[in-house]
Amino acid sequence: MPLLVILFGIILLLALTLKKVSPFLALLIVSIIVGLLMGMPVHLVVASLEKGVGSTLGSLALILCLGAILGKLLEKSGAAEKISDTLIQAFGKKNVQWAVVLTGFLVGIPLYYNAGFVILVPLVFSIAISSGLPLLYIAIPMAASLSTTHAFLPPHPGPAVLIGAFGADLGKTLVYGLVLAIPLVIIAGPVLGGLLKGIRVSPGNKLFTGSAEKRESLPAAFPSFFIALLPVILITLAVLVQQFAGGDSVLKTIILFLGNANVALLVAVLCAIYYFGLRTGRTMESVMQWLNEAISGIAVILLIIAAGGVFKQVLIDSGTGDYITRLSAQWQIPPLVFGWLAAALLRVTLGSATVAGLTAAGIISPLVATGHVSPELMVLSVGAGSIFFSHVNDTGFWMFKEFFNLSLKQTFLSWSLMETVISLLGLGGVLLLDLVI
């Protein structure tokens, strides 16, 4: 039975990781074993390995590397310290979580989760070091903001495709999504972060070492914020132009080009190299040393994420998604709950929130077509289910674990718990909206 094989694979993966086997090797080993136990021919298992690496790193490699470089430039130049000091002074140490929530929410609306995550990670480290607050106390509100916008708000790929699949109105979905997202971010961010502040982890890792010592001189606040948020500005501008500017023009083409996540990050990196490096008298060689440090720091994380993508791909290619689809279709459940449950089961078994949401759309579309359920609320219900209980088959799980140097137990108690809280409360919020709309 596929679910038993998946359960065995997850238990084996946890056992290998607890035995201090590198997550990269553990994920590859488990992926091969699960594929073979699912009855996949050897050549298809190998093909899934290659496809999983390519599909995962194809969309993430440049974003993660450029984001890490930008973060390292902001860290080494003192710009991240300036940003954190400014936020702490503006909001006060007691309210710094709200500064992170607001920043994460504004960044998360236009940016894909992965791009927003790597942009904000150095800021989280800098604030934790400058304020002396626990790392997860700061990191959870940031991750909650990004995850909530990723699940509920277009133009993120999951909600955007679901809107098309269900024939939902984009404007209504965005409004309902914002009504739902704001309280969810508050509960899963500052509230949950406060409950998890007792989990102690080191605020430094190989990528962002930070320093508790204050520098004698820091960059000005405006250019520090502007360059750090430049990718967000460019991508937001591109989204607005795409939505509201009709026709084709040279200016529109340029804006859309600069608004590509990879290009936007590259532009920000080049601006940071000049403004925080060359303009201050540093040599190109010394600035490139910062770049090399960032790349070396991200290398292991990239490998682990790639291996996580392999596990996900094996589960998809082995027919697990089709099995869950058939299983879900046999249950007689209220449509909005059914949409959430189908997406949640696919999320737990396949790992990818986007894949879970899109696969669930094929199951749910006939229900929406009957006209007995709001297509906008179904988008939100499936979106909520698609982020339920992220665990070892999700690349986001490993990103959070490795960037913040957490143990498996700490990652389950923080990241996985946060995702589950957002998912369950999201379903509750959708059902409440259904009563009043």
Side-chain angles (χ1 to χ4, degrees), residues 236-292:
T236 302
L237 185 60
V239 170
L240 293 175
V241 167
Q242 183 71 42
Q243 290 291 330
F244 301 110
D248 294 317
S249 66
V250 174
L251 180 60
K252 180 180 179 180
T253 301
I254 293 173
I255 292 173
L256 293 178
F257 171 72
L258 294 176
N260 174 273
N262 294 314
V263 176
L265 281 165
L266 177 60
V267 170
V269 165
L270 295 177
C271 290
I273 288 174
Y274 169 73
Y275 190 86
F276 298 130
L278 304 180
R279 190 190 67 87
T280 61
R282 294 182 174 91
T283 64
M284 180 64 78
E285 183 180 7
S286 65
V287 175
M288 290 300 104
Q289 183 60 40
W290 295 351
L291 184 147
N292 292 336

Side-chain angles (χ1 to χ4, degrees), residues 296-319:
S296 63
I298 199 74
V300 174
I301 297 174
L302 277 173
L303 288 174
I304 293 171
I305 291 171
V310 169
F311 191 23
K312 175 200 71 177
Q313 193 63 48
V314 167
L315 293 176
I316 293 172
D317 292 345
S318 65

Side-chain angles (χ1 to χ4, degrees), residues 69-219:
I69 292 169
L70 179 60
K72 180 62 71 174
L73 290 168
L74 294 173
E75 176 199 348
K76 288 290 189 179
S77 66
E81 186 177 328
K82 182 64 176 182
I83 292 171
S84 63
D85 286 349
T86 303
L87 288 173
I88 292 170
Q89 290 172 8
F91 284 81
K93 183 176 177 179
K94 292 183 178 180
N95 298 315
V96 72
Q97 280 188 313
W98 298 102
V100 176
V101 164
L102 179 60
T103 305
F105 202 79
L106 293 175
V107 168
I109 290 176
L111 279 186
Y112 292 165
Y113 179 89
N114 297 315
F117 185 87
V118 295
I119 288 172
L120 292 180
V121 161
L123 178 61
V124 169
F125 276 104
S126 184
I127 289 177
I129 294 168
S130 298
S131 64
L133 293 168
L135 182 60
L136 288 180
Y137 184 76
I138 307 298
I140 287 294
M142 177 274 289
S145 296
L146 294 178
S147 186
T148 302
T149 54
H150 174 77
F152 299 115
L153 303 181
H156 288 281
V161 174
L162 289 173
I163 287 170
F166 298 153
D169 180 86
L170 188 146
K172 287 183 179 180
T173 305
L174 186 58
V175 171
Y176 297 163
L178 285 171
V179 170
L180 196 61
I182 292 172
L184 289 181
V185 166
I186 293 172
I187 296 171
V191 175
L192 183 60
L195 296 176
L196 298 176
K197 66 190 303 182
I199 300 178
R200 296 287 175 174
V201 293
S202 172
N205 68 0
K206 294 179 181 178
L207 188 57
F208 304 110
T209 55
S211 174
E213 299 179 1
K214 292 293 181 181
R215 305 169 196 257
E216 293 183 0
S217 61
L218 295 173

